[in-house]
Structures are given as structure tokens and as C-alpha cells.
Amino acid sequence: MSRAGANRRIVGLVPAAGTAERLSPLPCSKEILPIGFQTVRTPDGERHLPRVACQHLLEQMRRAGVREVYLVLRSGKWDIPAYLGDGRAVGLHIAYLIMGEPHGVPYTLSQALPFLGTASVLVGFPDTLYDPPDAFGSLSEALVQTPADLVLGLFPAERPDKMDMVDLGPGGEVRDIVIKPHATDLRWAWSMAAWGPVFTEFLRDFVAVAPVPFVTDEEPEGRELHLGDVVRGAVSGGLRIESVLFPHGRCVDIGTADDLKRILCGDPFEARKTERDT
């Protein structure tokens, strides 16, 4: 058994502070855009209700053992807590935090760090649909069964120029991250993660000293800090980073009009209707 522990607290961490510029203008936050329907059983019979984008992520986290979720917003996105409430409709306890420094996803996630303690953390993106449905459970199990500080969920990349590509060693260990390359021979992209307290502390320390804007050799003019940059730093810092591959899986980001259209026009992700009880 690894340092993650057998009876550990598992927390979901969700960054939802984006501006959705690629879909603007929208009538609501993209995280609660209706993208399908669900069947709900009530004392009066079945009802067919809209299923919103982030519900896909939250239900998969719950299936992996998460019971509490920290959802980090930016000021003004009050329609998200107005819709999700305390989380009971999706079987979770949801707490809302407000983004501090607007310098990238790592800063957004860092708002939750004082509340995490020694918890195991599952991270996913609320505008991304994941398949297989038990992917987060596989990551959580890998965190327990290996000495990893961080486990990345890897999917075949449909658009490497839009994703963080992963360079793997022969045993599945992560050797490097290449962020949104224009051209690459790498096959796998990461889109979900599980980590323990060692990486929680590393993330806290990394964002505390990262330059703003974030400067690299390839981009000396600077840019927004990506979570992939933190992972690269963790590799250089000697943390153990493992991977779980989903060779037949998919992750679809609905943050662009083209990908949203794919889902709304019959992508099989949402063709499977879900059922729950009220």
C-alpha cells in the first residue's frame, strides 16, 4: 500500500474560472451549458431534464469515491452555484472558492490548497467530457497502488496543438510535458490527474515563485502559466509521476464552437442517457 493510504479522503478539485472567450457570447457559464438529457425518477414518475456540461465530470468523480468537491470560480459566474447549489442533486458536497490571481489554472487551483490537507485529489476540467466512465477511478487506484506523487490520465490526442503532450518512459513514467506543440511524434495527451499531498505542497511552492508572465526558453516574451508547466517542474524536481493510459478512451473539450457542435449534434458521449433518483 502506498503513502496515499487505504482509507484516505478523496477530494475533487475543479477549475471553473475561465472566461469562455472561444464561445463568447453565451447566455450562461459554459460549465452549465445543457449538452444532453437525463432521466430522473421522482415519486410522480420519470422526468426528462437537461444535463449540463460539468455534470459529466462531477458524476464521474463521485463514481471514483469523491464526496466533496472544491469548485473554483471567478467573480461573476454566480449562475454556477445558483444551478448546482450544495451539490446534493449530483450526490456531492460542493464548496465554492473565488479565484485570486488571474494568471492561469495553477493559480486557480491553488485557491483550494489551504483546504486539502493530506487528501488525495482528483482534478478534471468542467468543460471536458471523458470516456471511459470509470477513468477517475483508475487514476485513484493507481495513486494507491504505486509510489506515485502524481498520476496523469492519458488519451490519444486528436489535436496535439491544443493539448499537453506527454513523453513517457518505458515503464509508463512521465519524462516530460510538451505544451500544445505545432508538430510532434508524441501520441498521448493528459487531461485528468490524481495526486497526493507531496504534489499539493509542490504546487503551492511552485506558484509562489513562478514569474508572471511565465517565461520559457521557447517563449521569452512570457505567457500564462499552464498546469503542464507545473508537471514539468515536478519531473525536474524529482517527484514520481506515473500514467494511466486509456487507448480506446476519449476526452472532448466543448470550449470551442466546433467541439460543442459535435456534442450537440449527436456525439455518442451524451447519447447515453443517465438515470438518477430524487
Side-chain angles (χ1 to χ4, degrees), residues 122-188:
L122 299 184
V123 173
F125 298 95
D127 57 354
T128 299
L129 309 184
Y130 298 102
D131 191 58
D134 61 351
F136 281 100
S138 297
L139 262 64
S140 182
E141 184 67 17
L143 192 62
V144 171
Q145 298 297 335
T146 73
D149 301 305
L150 169 68
V151 180
L152 300 180
L154 307 189
F155 299 83
E158 296 182 8
R159 288 286 306 277
D161 60 318
K162 295 174 58 179
M163 308 185 82
D164 287 2
M165 303 302 295
V166 182
D167 180 14
L168 293 177
E173 69 277 12
V174 175
R175 298 188 300 196
D176 197 9
I177 302 291
V178 182
I179 298 173
K180 300 180 180 179
H182 295 298
T184 182
D185 293 328
L186 298 175
R187 175 186 177 190
W188 301 99

Side-chain angles (χ1 to χ4, degrees), residues 53-54 56-57 124-130 191 250-255:
C54 69
H56 182 96
L57 170 66
F125 298 95
D127 57 354
T128 299
L129 309 184
Y130 298 102
S191 186
R250 295 176 63 206
C251 58
V252 175
D253 174 2
I254 65 163

Side-chain angles (χ1 to χ4, degrees), residues 22-59:
R22 295 175 298 173
L23 287 175
S24 182
L26 287 174
C28 64
S29 296
K30 66 178 177 179
E31 293 83 359
I32 56 170
L33 273 174
I35 58 170
F37 290 88
Q38 60 187 328
T39 300
V40 178
R41 297 192 185 104
T42 73
D44 299 323
E46 291 185 346
R47 297 182 62 196
H48 302 287
L49 300 176
R51 176 174 164 85
V52 301
C54 69
Q55 191 173 340
H56 182 96
L57 170 66
L58 295 174
E59 290 176 351

